Amino acid sequence: MTNRVFVHIGLPKTGTSYLQAIAWPGRSQLREAGLLLPGARKSDHLFASMIVRDDPGIARRGPGASEAWDRIRADVAGFDGDALITHEFFCAASAEQAQRMVAQLAPAEVHLVITTRDPLGLLTSSWQESLKNKATTPLADYGRTESDDPRDVWDWRSLDLGLVLERWSPAVPPERLHLIAPAPAGAPREELWSRFCDVLGIAPDTCDTSRGFANASMGVVEAETLRRVNERLTGFNTARARGVWLRSFLADERLVPRGGDRFWPAPDQVEDARLRGARAVAKIRASTYDVNGDVDLLLVPDDLPPRRHPESVTDAEVADVALDLVATLLRDLQRRSERTSPPADPPTRRERLRQAIRGV
């Protein structure tokens, strides 16, 4: 039976993809070090988060998806060591769902791991992530709610650390709730992995950190262009289609490399994020959670450098990005056609004769 189960519940956009991109290719090395990544594959942890949150969409995820949580628990029960379950959508679970999940992992000792980020950075990053999933909501209208639905993962429900702690902290003793504060500006990329390993009790060099990647951001014009493309886009309704074509092919590979201006939401949204950060820090300071790092980095600074807002993007700017995209896509199609087109058959004897007669 597993001794301890570390359940990494998010938050979204706090380096979770980076950590998972290191852990999953190093799965066998982690197991040798005494840490199990249970389940048949990485997607089992996403599917488990849906099952825990009673999301009926699990039925559309294909054969075997509905049994993912059972597979994970069976693996945990059969391993003599520690285990890690990691997906950022767990954090949207209700208090009742959180308690049930912890109880279903008994008799293992469950530890919660929460990676964090300041609320303003979370708001802008999660808005971009929603665009990569075909959303069309302008930034001015984004983050205006606190949903009661555990299926809503791109909402303050999962982005507000204080709200997540309210639902999840009763599920385990405070000393078993581990908060990883943001790394200071200028820290090496590997700092997050090192802190994560410190909580898990493994050496950072157990896995190859070069496999990790950070989700880069689009500039303000590029983000607004993607939002407008989504408004006209039909199809691409499955998670795989969105992931392959919108997130990877269009956003990450063609819009992100352009760079572009960084941006802020509206002043009232900035102030809302500032208040949420202050409430979360006050809650942490009043607790006895295990905190790794400086929680003051969860506070939104009083003075912020000036940045654009997406509403300032002009039609001409969008048209310029769109034209560049058309040219890029045509070059992509040409290269792909040249790679996949079969070589031309050599001319037949009759064709060679005709060419000779024509003087070719």
Side-chain angles (χ1 to χ4, degrees), residues 66-101:
S66 298
E67 292 76 48
W69 183 226
D70 292 336
R71 282 194 295 273
I72 286 174
R73 286 191 293 151
D75 285 354
V76 165
F79 185 71
D80 184 18
D82 294 336
L84 169 65
I85 301 170
T86 170
H87 202 278
E88 55 273 24
F89 292 169
F90 280 115
C91 71
S94 68
E96 294 76 17
Q97 290 166 343
Q99 293 272 9
R100 183 181 65 198
M101 179 182 183

PDB file of all heavy atoms in Angstrom, residues 66-101:
ATOM      1  N   SER A  66     -13.676   6.543 -18.386  1.00  0.00           N
ATOM      2  CA  SER A  66     -14.510   6.523 -17.187  1.00  0.00           C
ATOM      3  C   SER A  66     -13.940   5.652 -16.072  1.00  0.00           C
ATOM      4  O   SER A  66     -14.386   5.737 -14.931  1.00  0.00           O
ATOM      5  CB  SER A  66     -15.922   6.033 -17.541  1.00  0.00           C
ATOM      6  OG  SER A  66     -16.541   6.920 -18.451  1.00  0.00           O
ATOM      7  N   GLU A  67     -12.949   4.835 -16.405  1.00  0.00           N
ATOM      8  CA  GLU A  67     -12.332   3.967 -15.397  1.00  0.00           C
ATOM      9  C   GLU A  67     -10.995   4.513 -14.900  1.00  0.00           C
ATOM     10  O   GLU A  67     -10.276   3.840 -14.149  1.00  0.00           O
ATOM     11  CB  GLU A  67     -12.103   2.562 -15.962  1.00  0.00           C
ATOM     12  CG  GLU A  67     -13.379   1.775 -16.241  1.00  0.00           C
ATOM     13  CD  GLU A  67     -14.086   2.229 -17.509  1.00  0.00           C
ATOM     14  OE1 GLU A  67     -13.410   2.373 -18.542  1.00  0.00           O
ATOM     15  OE2 GLU A  67     -15.320   2.456 -17.456  1.00  0.00           O
ATOM     16  N   ALA A  68     -10.635   5.718 -15.319  1.00  0.00           N
ATOM     17  CA  ALA A  68      -9.309   6.258 -14.994  1.00  0.00           C
ATOM     18  C   ALA A  68      -9.079   6.374 -13.487  1.00  0.00           C
ATOM     19  O   ALA A  68      -8.004   6.036 -12.979  1.00  0.00           O
ATOM     20  CB  ALA A  68      -9.122   7.617 -15.662  1.00  0.00           C
ATOM     21  N   TRP A  69     -10.073   6.859 -12.752  1.00  0.00           N
ATOM     22  CA  TRP A  69      -9.920   7.029 -11.308  1.00  0.00           C
ATOM     23  C   TRP A  69      -9.760   5.671 -10.618  1.00  0.00           C
ATOM     24  O   TRP A  69      -8.949   5.528  -9.697  1.00  0.00           O
ATOM     25  CB  TRP A  69     -11.099   7.804 -10.759  1.00  0.00           C
ATOM     26  CG  TRP A  69     -11.072   8.126  -9.286  1.00  0.00           C
ATOM     27  CD1 TRP A  69     -12.104   7.977  -8.407  1.00  0.00           C
ATOM     28  CD2 TRP A  69      -9.990   8.678  -8.523  1.00  0.00           C
ATOM     29  NE1 TRP A  69     -11.740   8.396  -7.151  1.00  0.00           N
ATOM     30  CE2 TRP A  69     -10.450   8.834  -7.184  1.00  0.00           C
ATOM     31  CE3 TRP A  69      -8.690   9.051  -8.830  1.00  0.00           C
ATOM     32  CZ2 TRP A  69      -9.648   9.336  -6.164  1.00  0.00           C
ATOM     33  CZ3 TRP A  69      -7.875   9.561  -7.815  1.00  0.00           C
ATOM     34  CH2 TRP A  69      -8.353   9.699  -6.503  1.00  0.00           C
ATOM     35  N   ASP A  70     -10.468   4.670 -11.104  1.00  0.00           N
ATOM     36  CA  ASP A  70     -10.308   3.317 -10.551  1.00  0.00           C
ATOM     37  C   ASP A  70      -8.908   2.778 -10.821  1.00  0.00           C
ATOM     38  O   ASP A  70      -8.300   2.141  -9.953  1.00  0.00           O
ATOM     39  CB  ASP A  70     -11.347   2.368 -11.147  1.00  0.00           C
ATOM     40  CG  ASP A  70     -12.766   2.687 -10.696  1.00  0.00           C
ATOM     41  OD1 ASP A  70     -12.913   3.311  -9.620  1.00  0.00           O
ATOM     42  OD2 ASP A  70     -13.710   2.330 -11.421  1.00  0.00           O
ATOM     43  N   ARG A  71      -8.374   3.040 -12.019  1.00  0.00           N
ATOM     44  CA  ARG A  71      -7.014   2.577 -12.342  1.00  0.00           C
ATOM     45  C   ARG A  71      -5.987   3.239 -11.431  1.00  0.00           C
ATOM     46  O   ARG A  71      -5.057   2.590 -10.940  1.00  0.00           O
ATOM     47  CB  ARG A  71      -6.677   2.886 -13.809  1.00  0.00           C
ATOM     48  CG  ARG A  71      -7.291   1.945 -14.809  1.00  0.00           C
ATOM     49  CD  ARG A  71      -6.642   2.109 -16.176  1.00  0.00           C
ATOM     50  NE  ARG A  71      -6.877   3.428 -16.761  1.00  0.00           N
ATOM     51  CZ  ARG A  71      -7.949   3.733 -17.485  1.00  0.00           C
ATOM     52  NH1 ARG A  71      -8.903   2.840 -17.678  1.00  0.00           N
ATOM     53  NH2 ARG A  71      -8.078   4.944 -18.006  1.00  0.00           N
ATOM     54  N   ILE A  72      -6.155   4.530 -11.227  1.00  0.00           N
ATOM     55  CA  ILE A  72      -5.207   5.260 -10.385  1.00  0.00           C
ATOM     56  C   ILE A  72      -5.235   4.733  -8.962  1.00  0.00           C
ATOM     57  O   ILE A  72      -4.190   4.474  -8.349  1.00  0.00           O
ATOM     58  CB  ILE A  72      -5.521   6.773 -10.435  1.00  0.00           C
ATOM     59  CG1 ILE A  72      -5.084   7.345 -11.786  1.00  0.00           C
ATOM     60  CG2 ILE A  72      -4.843   7.516  -9.280  1.00  0.00           C
ATOM     61  CD1 ILE A  72      -5.467   8.783 -11.997  1.00  0.00           C
ATOM     62  N   ARG A  73      -6.427   4.551  -8.426  1.00  0.00           N
ATOM     63  CA  ARG A  73      -6.518   4.074  -7.043  1.00  0.00           C
ATOM     64  C   ARG A  73      -5.982   2.647  -6.904  1.00  0.00           C
ATOM     65  O   ARG A  73      -5.349   2.304  -5.897  1.00  0.00           O
ATOM     66  CB  ARG A  73      -7.965   4.148  -6.562  1.00  0.00           C
ATOM     67  CG  ARG A  73      -8.410   5.580  -6.274  1.00  0.00           C
ATOM     68  CD  ARG A  73      -9.737   5.620  -5.559  1.00  0.00           C
ATOM     69  NE  ARG A  73     -10.807   5.151  -6.422  1.00  0.00           N
ATOM     70  CZ  ARG A  73     -11.913   4.569  -6.000  1.00  0.00           C
ATOM     71  NH1 ARG A  73     -12.086   4.319  -4.705  1.00  0.00           N
ATOM     72  NH2 ARG A  73     -12.848   4.211  -6.835  1.00  0.00           N
ATOM     73  N   ALA A  74      -6.202   1.815  -7.919  1.00  0.00           N
ATOM     74  CA  ALA A  74      -5.669   0.453  -7.874  1.00  0.00           C
ATOM     75  C   ALA A  74      -4.145   0.466  -7.887  1.00  0.00           C
ATOM     76  O   ALA A  74      -3.486  -0.297  -7.158  1.00  0.00           O
ATOM     77  CB  ALA A  74      -6.205  -0.362  -9.044  1.00  0.00           C
ATOM     78  N   ASP A  75      -3.553   1.343  -8.705  1.00  0.00           N
ATOM     79  CA  ASP A  75      -2.101   1.453  -8.745  1.00  0.00           C
ATOM     80  C   ASP A  75      -1.549   1.940  -7.414  1.00  0.00           C
ATOM     81  O   ASP A  75      -0.519   1.456  -6.931  1.00  0.00           O
ATOM     82  CB  ASP A  75      -1.672   2.402  -9.864  1.00  0.00           C
ATOM     83  CG  ASP A  75      -1.803   1.787 -11.251  1.00  0.00           C
ATOM     84  OD1 ASP A  75      -2.118   0.581 -11.334  1.00  0.00           O
ATOM     85  OD2 ASP A  75      -1.602   2.520 -12.234  1.00  0.00           O
ATOM     86  N   VAL A  76      -2.232   2.929  -6.836  1.00  0.00           N
ATOM     87  CA  VAL A  76      -1.803   3.464  -5.542  1.00  0.00           C
ATOM     88  C   VAL A  76      -1.839   2.365  -4.482  1.00  0.00           C
ATOM     89  O   VAL A  76      -0.910   2.212  -3.678  1.00  0.00           O
ATOM     90  CB  VAL A  76      -2.696   4.653  -5.139  1.00  0.00           C
ATOM     91  CG1 VAL A  76      -2.519   5.003  -3.661  1.00  0.00           C
ATOM     92  CG2 VAL A  76      -2.389   5.871  -6.013  1.00  0.00           C
ATOM     93  N   ALA A  77      -2.911   1.583  -4.491  1.00  0.00           N
ATOM     94  CA  ALA A  77      -3.066   0.531  -3.487  1.00  0.00           C
ATOM     95  C   ALA A  77      -2.002  -0.554  -3.620  1.00  0.00           C
ATOM     96  O   ALA A  77      -1.640  -1.202  -2.629  1.00  0.00           O
ATOM     97  CB  ALA A  77      -4.456  -0.093  -3.578  1.00  0.00           C
ATOM     98  N   GLY A  78      -1.475  -0.745  -4.830  1.00  0.00           N
ATOM     99  CA  GLY A  78      -0.532  -1.822  -5.050  1.00  0.00           C
ATOM    100  C   GLY A  78       0.923  -1.417  -5.014  1.00  0.00           C
ATOM    101  O   GLY A  78       1.796  -2.244  -5.315  1.00  0.00           O
ATOM    102  N   PHE A  79       1.215  -0.171  -4.645  1.00  0.00           N
ATOM    103  CA  PHE A  79       2.602   0.310  -4.674  1.00  0.00           C
ATOM    104  C   PHE A  79       3.118   0.550  -3.270  1.00  0.00           C
ATOM    105  O   PHE A  79       2.436   1.144  -2.435  1.00  0.00           O
ATOM    106  CB  PHE A  79       2.684   1.606  -5.486  1.00  0.00           C
ATOM    107  CG  PHE A  79       4.083   2.116  -5.685  1.00  0.00           C
ATOM    108  CD1 PHE A  79       4.959   1.446  -6.520  1.00  0.00           C
ATOM    109  CD2 PHE A  79       4.519   3.270  -5.041  1.00  0.00           C
ATOM    110  CE1 PHE A  79       6.252   1.920  -6.717  1.00  0.00           C
ATOM    111  CE2 PHE A  79       5.800   3.741  -5.227  1.00  0.00           C
ATOM    112  CZ  PHE A  79       6.680   3.069  -6.069  1.00  0.00           C
ATOM    113  N   ASP A  80       4.331   0.103  -3.033  1.00  0.00           N
ATOM    114  CA  ASP A  80       4.964   0.298  -1.725  1.00  0.00           C
ATOM    115  C   ASP A  80       5.912   1.493  -1.803  1.00  0.00           C
ATOM    116  O   ASP A  80       7.094   1.360  -2.113  1.00  0.00           O
ATOM    117  CB  ASP A  80       5.734  -0.962  -1.318  1.00  0.00           C
ATOM    118  CG  ASP A  80       6.327  -0.838   0.082  1.00  0.00           C
ATOM    119  OD1 ASP A  80       5.864   0.035   0.833  1.00  0.00           O
ATOM    120  OD2 ASP A  80       7.254  -1.608   0.397  1.00  0.00           O
ATOM    121  N   GLY A  81       5.383   2.654  -1.559  1.00  0.00           N
ATOM    122  CA  GLY A  81       6.162   3.888  -1.651  1.00  0.00           C
ATOM    123  C   GLY A  81       5.212   5.062  -1.636  1.00  0.00           C
ATOM    124  O   GLY A  81       4.114   4.986  -1.082  1.00  0.00           O
ATOM    125  N   ASP A  82       5.607   6.170  -2.245  1.00  0.00           N
ATOM    126  CA  ASP A  82       4.748   7.341  -2.352  1.00  0.00           C
ATOM    127  C   ASP A  82       4.180   7.438  -3.764  1.00  0.00           C
ATOM    128  O   ASP A  82       4.674   6.793  -4.689  1.00  0.00           O
ATOM    129  CB  ASP A  82       5.537   8.611  -2.026  1.00  0.00           C
ATOM    130  CG  ASP A  82       5.996   8.663  -0.577  1.00  0.00           C
ATOM    131  OD1 ASP A  82       5.362   8.002   0.272  1.00  0.00           O
ATOM    132  OD2 ASP A  82       6.997   9.358  -0.293  1.00  0.00           O
ATOM    133  N   ALA A  83       3.152   8.251  -3.937  1.00  0.00           N
ATOM    134  CA  ALA A  83       2.532   8.423  -5.249  1.00  0.00           C
ATOM    135  C   ALA A  83       2.236   9.899  -5.482  1.00  0.00           C
ATOM    136  O   ALA A  83       2.078  10.676  -4.531  1.00  0.00           O
ATOM    137  CB  ALA A  83       1.243   7.607  -5.349  1.00  0.00           C
ATOM    138  N   LEU A  84       2.181  10.263  -6.756  1.00  0.00           N
ATOM    139  CA  LEU A  84       1.871  11.632  -7.161  1.00  0.00           C
ATOM    140  C   LEU A  84       0.721  11.617  -8.153  1.00  0.00           C
ATOM    141  O   LEU A  84       0.792  10.957  -9.191  1.00  0.00           O
ATOM    142  CB  LEU A  84       3.102  12.293  -7.799  1.00  0.00           C
ATOM    143  CG  LEU A  84       2.863  13.634  -8.512  1.00  0.00           C
ATOM    144  CD1 LEU A  84       2.415  14.711  -7.522  1.00  0.00           C
ATOM    145  CD2 LEU A  84       4.123  14.071  -9.259  1.00  0.00           C
ATOM    146  N   ILE A  85      -0.336  12.339  -7.836  1.00  0.00           N
ATOM    147  CA  ILE A  85      -1.454  12.575  -8.755  1.00  0.00           C
ATOM    148  C   ILE A  85      -1.431  14.056  -9.080  1.00  0.00           C
ATOM    149  O   ILE A  85      -1.416  14.896  -8.173  1.00  0.00           O
ATOM    150  CB  ILE A  85      -2.799  12.179  -8.112  1.00  0.00           C
ATOM    151  CG1 ILE A  85      -2.791  10.698  -7.719  1.00  0.00           C
ATOM    152  CG2 ILE A  85      -3.959  12.480  -9.049  1.00  0.00           C
ATOM    153  CD1 ILE A  85      -3.983  10.278  -6.869  1.00  0.00           C
ATOM    154  N   THR A  86      -1.414  14.403 -10.364  1.00  0.00           N
ATOM    155  CA  THR A  86      -1.231  15.810 -10.713  1.00  0.00           C
ATOM    156  C   THR A  86      -2.118  16.243 -11.871  1.00  0.00           C
ATOM    157  O   THR A  86      -1.986  15.731 -12.992  1.00  0.00           O
ATOM    158  CB  THR A  86       0.249  16.114 -11.040  1.00  0.00           C
ATOM    159  OG1 THR A  86       0.358  17.436 -11.606  1.00  0.00           O
ATOM    160  CG2 THR A  86       0.853  15.097 -11.997  1.00  0.00           C
ATOM    161  N   HIS A  87      -3.019  17.129 -11.584  1.00  0.00           N
ATOM    162  CA  HIS A  87      -3.750  17.853 -12.629  1.00  0.00           C
ATOM    163  C   HIS A  87      -4.374  19.104 -12.026  1.00  0.00           C
ATOM    164  O   HIS A  87      -4.973  19.066 -10.950  1.00  0.00           O
ATOM    165  CB  HIS A  87      -4.826  17.017 -13.319  1.00  0.00           C
ATOM    166  CG  HIS A  87      -5.147  17.589 -14.667  1.00  0.00           C
ATOM    167  ND1 HIS A  87      -6.016  18.644 -14.835  1.00  0.00           N
ATOM    168  CD2 HIS A  87      -4.670  17.296 -15.910  1.00  0.00           C
ATOM    169  CE1 HIS A  87      -6.072  18.962 -16.113  1.00  0.00           C
ATOM    170  NE2 HIS A  87      -5.265  18.165 -16.788  1.00  0.00           N
ATOM    171  N   GLU A  88      -4.231  20.207 -12.777  1.00  0.00           N
ATOM    172  CA  GLU A  88      -4.650  21.515 -12.273  1.00  0.00           C
ATOM    173  C   GLU A  88      -6.150  21.685 -12.163  1.00  0.00           C
ATOM    174  O   GLU A  88      -6.615  22.609 -11.477  1.00  0.00           O
ATOM    175  CB  GLU A  88      -4.070  22.618 -13.153  1.00  0.00           C
ATOM    176  CG  GLU A  88      -4.390  22.511 -14.633  1.00  0.00           C
ATOM    177  CD  GLU A  88      -3.406  21.657 -15.414  1.00  0.00           C
ATOM    178  OE1 GLU A  88      -2.748  20.784 -14.812  1.00  0.00           O
ATOM    179  OE2 GLU A  88      -3.305  21.859 -16.638  1.00  0.00           O
ATOM    180  N   PHE A  89      -6.947  20.817 -12.783  1.00  0.00           N
ATOM    181  CA  PHE A  89      -8.396  20.987 -12.718  1.00  0.00           C
ATOM    182  C   PHE A  89      -9.006  20.405 -11.443  1.00  0.00           C
ATOM    183  O   PHE A  89     -10.174  20.648 -11.161  1.00  0.00           O
ATOM    184  CB  PHE A  89      -9.064  20.370 -13.946  1.00  0.00           C
ATOM    185  CG  PHE A  89      -8.765  21.102 -15.235  1.00  0.00           C
ATOM    186  CD1 PHE A  89      -9.098  20.547 -16.465  1.00  0.00           C
ATOM    187  CD2 PHE A  89      -8.153  22.350 -15.223  1.00  0.00           C
ATOM    188  CE1 PHE A  89      -8.830  21.212 -17.653  1.00  0.00           C
ATOM    189  CE2 PHE A  89      -7.869  23.029 -16.408  1.00  0.00           C
ATOM    190  CZ  PHE A  89      -8.213  22.448 -17.617  1.00  0.00           C
ATOM    191  N   PHE A  90      -8.222  19.653 -10.668  1.00  0.00           N
ATOM    192  CA  PHE A  90      -8.730  19.186  -9.379  1.00  0.00           C
ATOM    193  C   PHE A  90      -9.148  20.364  -8.498  1.00  0.00           C
ATOM    194  O   PHE A  90     -10.061  20.249  -7.681  1.00  0.00           O
ATOM    195  CB  PHE A  90      -7.668  18.366  -8.638  1.00  0.00           C
ATOM    196  CG  PHE A  90      -7.531  16.940  -9.099  1.00  0.00           C
ATOM    197  CD1 PHE A  90      -6.362  16.505  -9.701  1.00  0.00           C
ATOM    198  CD2 PHE A  90      -8.561  16.026  -8.918  1.00  0.00           C
ATOM    199  CE1 PHE A  90      -6.222  15.196 -10.127  1.00  0.00           C
ATOM    200  CE2 PHE A  90      -8.438  14.709  -9.331  1.00  0.00           C
ATOM    201  CZ  PHE A  90      -7.263  14.292  -9.940  1.00  0.00           C
ATOM    202  N   CYS A  91      -8.488  21.499  -8.653  1.00  0.00           N
ATOM    203  CA  CYS A  91      -8.723  22.607  -7.720  1.00  0.00           C
ATOM    204  C   CYS A  91     -10.131  23.166  -7.811  1.00  0.00           C
ATOM    205  O   CYS A  91     -10.599  23.841  -6.892  1.00  0.00           O
ATOM    206  CB  CYS A  91      -7.706  23.713  -7.942  1.00  0.00           C
ATOM    207  SG  CYS A  91      -7.921  24.643  -9.461  1.00  0.00           S
ATOM    208  N   ALA A  92     -10.853  22.891  -8.906  1.00  0.00           N
ATOM    209  CA  ALA A  92     -12.224  23.395  -9.044  1.00  0.00           C
ATOM    210  C   ALA A  92     -13.241  22.550  -8.288  1.00  0.00           C
ATOM    211  O   ALA A  92     -14.417  22.905  -8.229  1.00  0.00           O
ATOM    212  CB  ALA A  92     -12.606  23.466 -10.516  1.00  0.00           C
ATOM    213  N   ALA A  93     -12.813  21.444  -7.692  1.00  0.00           N
ATOM    214  CA  ALA A  93     -13.743  20.558  -6.981  1.00  0.00           C
ATOM    215  C   ALA A  93     -14.413  21.281  -5.822  1.00  0.00           C
ATOM    216  O   ALA A  93     -13.861  22.214  -5.233  1.00  0.00           O
ATOM    217  CB  ALA A  93     -12.994  19.328  -6.464  1.00  0.00           C
ATOM    218  N   SER A  94     -15.612  20.830  -5.497  1.00  0.00           N
ATOM    219  CA  SER A  94     -16.318  21.355  -4.322  1.00  0.00           C
ATOM    220  C   SER A  94     -15.674  20.803  -3.059  1.00  0.00           C
ATOM    221  O   SER A  94     -14.866  19.858  -3.097  1.00  0.00           O
ATOM    222  CB  SER A  94     -17.784  20.943  -4.367  1.00  0.00           C
ATOM    223  OG  SER A  94     -17.902  19.535  -4.187  1.00  0.00           O
ATOM    224  N   ALA A  95     -16.037  21.362  -1.920  1.00  0.00           N
ATOM    225  CA  ALA A  95     -15.512  20.865  -0.645  1.00  0.00           C
ATOM    226  C   ALA A  95     -15.906  19.409  -0.431  1.00  0.00           C
ATOM    227  O   ALA A  95     -15.097  18.592   0.051  1.00  0.00           O
ATOM    228  CB  ALA A  95     -16.028  21.733   0.498  1.00  0.00           C
ATOM    229  N   GLU A  96     -17.132  19.056  -0.801  1.00  0.00           N
ATOM    230  CA  GLU A  96     -17.596  17.678  -0.639  1.00  0.00           C
ATOM    231  C   GLU A  96     -16.807  16.734  -1.548  1.00  0.00           C
ATOM    232  O   GLU A  96     -16.434  15.623  -1.145  1.00  0.00           O
ATOM    233  CB  GLU A  96     -19.089  17.582  -0.947  1.00  0.00           C
ATOM    234  CG  GLU A  96     -19.990  18.321   0.024  1.00  0.00           C
ATOM    235  CD  GLU A  96     -19.989  19.828  -0.165  1.00  0.00           C
ATOM    236  OE1 GLU A  96     -19.551  20.304  -1.244  1.00  0.00           O
ATOM    237  OE2 GLU A  96     -20.382  20.544   0.774  1.00  0.00           O
ATOM    238  N   GLN A  97     -16.560  17.153  -2.781  1.00  0.00           N
ATOM    239  CA  GLN A  97     -15.791  16.324  -3.712  1.00  0.00           C
ATOM    240  C   GLN A  97     -14.348  16.166  -3.243  1.00  0.00           C
ATOM    241  O   GLN A  97     -13.757  15.094  -3.384  1.00  0.00           O
ATOM    242  CB  GLN A  97     -15.843  16.946  -5.107  1.00  0.00           C
ATOM    243  CG  GLN A  97     -17.217  16.857  -5.754  1.00  0.00           C
ATOM    244  CD  GLN A  97     -17.359  17.762  -6.973  1.00  0.00           C
ATOM    245  OE1 GLN A  97     -16.559  18.694  -7.162  1.00  0.00           O
ATOM    246  NE2 GLN A  97     -18.365  17.502  -7.797  1.00  0.00           N
ATOM    247  N   ALA A  98     -13.777  17.223  -2.688  1.00  0.00           N
ATOM    248  CA  ALA A  98     -12.415  17.145  -2.161  1.00  0.00           C
ATOM    249  C   ALA A  98     -12.337  16.151  -1.012  1.00  0.00           C
ATOM    250  O   ALA A  98     -11.426  15.304  -0.954  1.00  0.00           O
ATOM    251  CB  ALA A  98     -11.957  18.527  -1.710  1.00  0.00           C
ATOM    252  N   GLN A  99     -13.294  16.229  -0.093  1.00  0.00           N
ATOM    253  CA  GLN A  99     -13.317  15.297   1.044  1.00  0.00           C
ATOM    254  C   GLN A  99     -13.475  13.860   0.548  1.00  0.00           C
ATOM    255  O   GLN A  99     -12.823  12.931   1.055  1.00  0.00           O
ATOM    256  CB  GLN A  99     -14.473  15.665   1.977  1.00  0.00           C
ATOM    257  CG  GLN A  99     -14.313  16.998   2.692  1.00  0.00           C
ATOM    258  CD  GLN A  99     -13.548  16.885   4.004  1.00  0.00           C
ATOM    259  OE1 GLN A  99     -12.982  15.852   4.328  1.00  0.00           O
ATOM    260  NE2 GLN A  99     -13.538  17.960   4.773  1.00  0.00           N
ATOM    261  N   ARG A 100     -14.331  13.661  -0.433  1.00  0.00           N
ATOM    262  CA  ARG A 100     -14.567  12.316  -0.961  1.00  0.00           C
ATOM    263  C   ARG A 100     -13.310  11.759  -1.625  1.00  0.00           C
ATOM    264  O   ARG A 100     -12.971  10.578  -1.449  1.00  0.00           O
ATOM    265  CB  ARG A 100     -15.719  12.358  -1.961  1.00  0.00           C
ATOM    266  CG  ARG A 100     -16.115  10.992  -2.520  1.00  0.00           C
ATOM    267  CD  ARG A 100     -17.250  11.156  -3.513  1.00  0.00           C
ATOM    268  NE  ARG A 100     -16.842  11.911  -4.695  1.00  0.00           N
ATOM    269  CZ  ARG A 100     -17.693  12.488  -5.538  1.00  0.00           C
ATOM    270  NH1 ARG A 100     -19.004  12.429  -5.323  1.00  0.00           N
ATOM    271  NH2 ARG A 100     -17.242  13.149  -6.588  1.00  0.00           N
ATOM    272  N   MET A 101     -12.601  12.597  -2.382  1.00  0.00           N
ATOM    273  CA  MET A 101     -11.390  12.142  -3.040  1.00  0.00           C
ATOM    274  C   MET A 101     -10.351  11.689  -2.024  1.00  0.00           C
ATOM    275  O   MET A 101      -9.732  10.629  -2.179  1.00  0.00           O
ATOM    276  CB  MET A 101     -10.808  13.265  -3.906  1.00  0.00           C
ATOM    277  CG  MET A 101      -9.520  12.882  -4.610  1.00  0.00           C
ATOM    278  SD  MET A 101      -8.835  14.252  -5.577  1.00  0.00           S
ATOM    279  CE  MET A 101      -7.419  13.438  -6.329  1.00  0.00           C
TER     280      MET A 101
END
